[in-house]
Amino acid sequence: MGLLTIGAFAKASRLSPKALRLYDELGLLTPARVDPATGYRLYDPEQLEQARLVAWLRRLGVPLARIRQICTLDPPEAAREVRAFWARFEADIAARRDLAAFLIDHLSRKDAEMTLTANPLEIHYAALTDTGLVRDTNQDTAYAGSRLLAVADGFGRGGEQASAAAIDAVKRLETNGITTGNLLNALEDAVRQAQQAVHGVAGVDPVPEEVGTTLTAMLWTGTQLALVHIGDTRAYLLRDGKLLQITHDHTAVQTMLDEGRLTKEEAASHPQRALLAKALTGATEVTPDVRLHDARPGDRYLLCSDGLSEVVPVETLREVLAADFAPEQAARELVDQANRRGGPDNVSCVVAHVDEAR
């Protein structure tokens, strides 16, 4: 078969002539030959496979610059790039889904001031932090109050001050009157204030970007828990006997795992599994994950630093939370579990039980 005219090639590839001219200009799909007299573009039938790939990637929503990169790869590498693109797309959709759920809930209810007097539910809570058995200092900060639960894990030379500064900043949420309509904005503002506080701590260090903290916090509204999260501290929910991790680790290894570049087994033993992809530091600002969770009687929440989650198996966490322990007992048992396994890092946790109001 000879060369195809742009019209015939467009029909065979299901790309419009206009799209083919654009892809030629961008270097995505260069014609096999351009007639010197007429300027007509002519295509080799063997280019159909690449043309169809470009068409499929465009339908998927892949940006043109990334399509150009994918088209230069061999099939296995191209498949990994498509998987990575889709993983990020799904993460974005999940964040938008949470925001949509919040807006639907907000628009379906009468906006009211958050007060404890009308709460049909109540929480019982405890916070505990421990240096562990290896570290000389404790860079974790844990806090539990009537409306706020929070854990921060500092790092760098000023890590202890950074985690404390972040928690102090979000503590203001406990005393501020917040309407349900302004809840997510208030959380984002609190994180911005925490970022500024950490920046103040890190600014005195010669390398400010190496000083910072993670932050996972939940604000109790009486029927819901609003979650703000950044880094690899975690939040878990025990409901109906099942333990669910409700935060997503912001680590380089978790990103590679999401994109299919690592298996779970490889991720568990990766030498850089603690390398953060996102944290509050003295450098650039970052956007936290912000979500809203409806609470039910019997729910049990755990917020913890990686000194617990990286050391104690998930099943053990579930067993402790499911046991007939008061929050104080559960927190102590969780810290003890980490120390029984060597206590290689600072370990902090906040435990909260949701019950019907008495």
Side-chain angles (χ1 to χ4, degrees):
M1 182 184 295
L3 298 180
L4 301 176
T5 64
I6 190 171
F9 191 78
K11 184 177 181 180
S13 65
R14 298 189 179 183
L15 288 168
S16 68
K18 181 179 179 180
L20 288 172
R21 286 191 286 271
L22 173 63
Y23 298 158
D24 178 18
E25 292 170 3
L26 295 174
L28 272 175
L29 195 60
T30 305
R33 190 169 78 86
V34 177
D35 189 290
T38 64
Y40 288 166
R41 294 171 171 84
L42 301 171
Y43 293 84
D44 193 310
E46 292 185 358
Q47 292 181 281
L48 281 172
E49 183 175 355
Q50 182 175 351
R52 288 166 182 153
L53 174 61
V54 171
W56 291 333
L57 291 172
R58 287 298 291 159
R59 289 180 64 184
L60 197 58
V62 180
L64 290 172
R66 190 155 189 183
I67 291 176
R68 185 186 299 112
Q69 175 193 359
I70 292 173
C71 287
T72 64
L73 304 174
D74 59 39
E77 291 179 337
R80 283 192 288 272
E81 283 300 312
V82 174
R83 186 182 298 112
F85 167 80
W86 191 250
R88 280 192 284 271
F89 178 82
E90 287 187 318
D92 182 54
I93 289 296
R96 295 186 188 190
R97 185 187 304 116
D98 289 333
L99 179 57
F102 168 78
L103 291 174
I104 292 168
D105 182 74
H106 165 58
L107 294 170
S108 301
R109 301 184 184 193
K110 180 180 179 181
D111 193 40
E113 194 75 13
M114 289 166 48
T115 62
L116 294 176
T117 57
N119 286 344
L121 300 174
E122 62 185 14
I123 57 170
H124 305 278
Y125 48 85
L128 185 62
T129 184
D130 189 87
T131 304
L133 304 180
V134 175
R135 301 291 179 90
D136 294 327
T137 60
N138 189 352
Q139 294 186 311
D140 287 359
T141 302
Y143 175 81
S146 60
R147 292 174 64 186
L148 182 71
L149 315 171
V151 171
D153 182 356
F155 57 85
R157 283 181 288 267
E160 183 176 357
Q161 293 77 19
S163 67
I167 295 294
D168 284 342
V170 297
K171 276 184 186 178
R172 299 170 190 171
L173 291 168
E174 285 212 297
T175 55
N176 294 341
I178 304 170
T179 58
T180 56
N182 198 41
L183 181 57
L184 294 186
N185 288 338
L187 285 172
E188 289 186 335
D189 289 344
V191 171
R192 192 173 297 111
Q193 292 168 356
Q195 173 82 54
Q196 293 171 353
V198 172
H199 184 82
V201 171
V204 300
D205 192 89
V207 191
E209 63 272 16
E210 293 183 3
V211 178
T213 185
T214 66
L215 176 65
T216 300
M218 301 189 85
L219 183 65
W220 173 243
T221 73
T223 58
Q224 297 172 314
L225 280 158
L227 168 70
V228 63
H229 165 71
I230 186 165
D232 64 350
T233 39
R234 290 181 178 178
Y236 292 91
L237 165 62
L238 180 76
R239 175 175 287 173
D240 298 328
K242 297 180 180 178
L243 187 65
L244 306 172
Q245 182 181 333
I246 57 175
T247 52
H248 193 72
D249 293 346
H250 297 146
T251 62
V253 166
Q254 182 63 52
T255 299
M256 289 188 284
L257 184 62
D258 293 340
E259 295 177 351
R261 300 175 188 271
L262 291 177
T263 65
K264 288 184 178 180
E265 293 73 21
E266 290 171 333
S269 59
H270 198 283
Q272 294 183 314
R273 61 185 180 276
L275 180 64
L276 292 170
K278 192 186 286 190
L280 298 175
T281 69
T284 57
E285 291 189 8
V286 290
T287 302
D289 294 343
V290 181
R291 298 180 180 177
L292 202 60
H293 289 266
D294 287 320
R296 298 180 189 174
D299 283 351
R300 298 190 171 186
Y301 287 87
L302 167 65
L303 279 62
C304 66
S305 62
D306 64 346
L308 179 66
S309 58
E310 283 289 315
V311 177
V312 179
V314 171
E315 179 56 26
T316 302
L317 299 180
R318 191 199 68 78
E319 290 173 355
V320 173
L321 291 174
D324 189 22
F325 290 145
E328 296 84 357
Q329 294 172 289
R332 170 48 61 190
E333 177 60 23
L334 289 168
V335 170
D336 288 346
Q337 287 284 348
N339 286 334
R340 287 173 202 156
R341 290 168 171 80
D345 197 358
N346 306 147
V347 53
S348 296
C349 62
V350 172
V351 177
H353 296 178
V354 179
D355 296 312
E356 293 183 353
R358 297 174 183 177

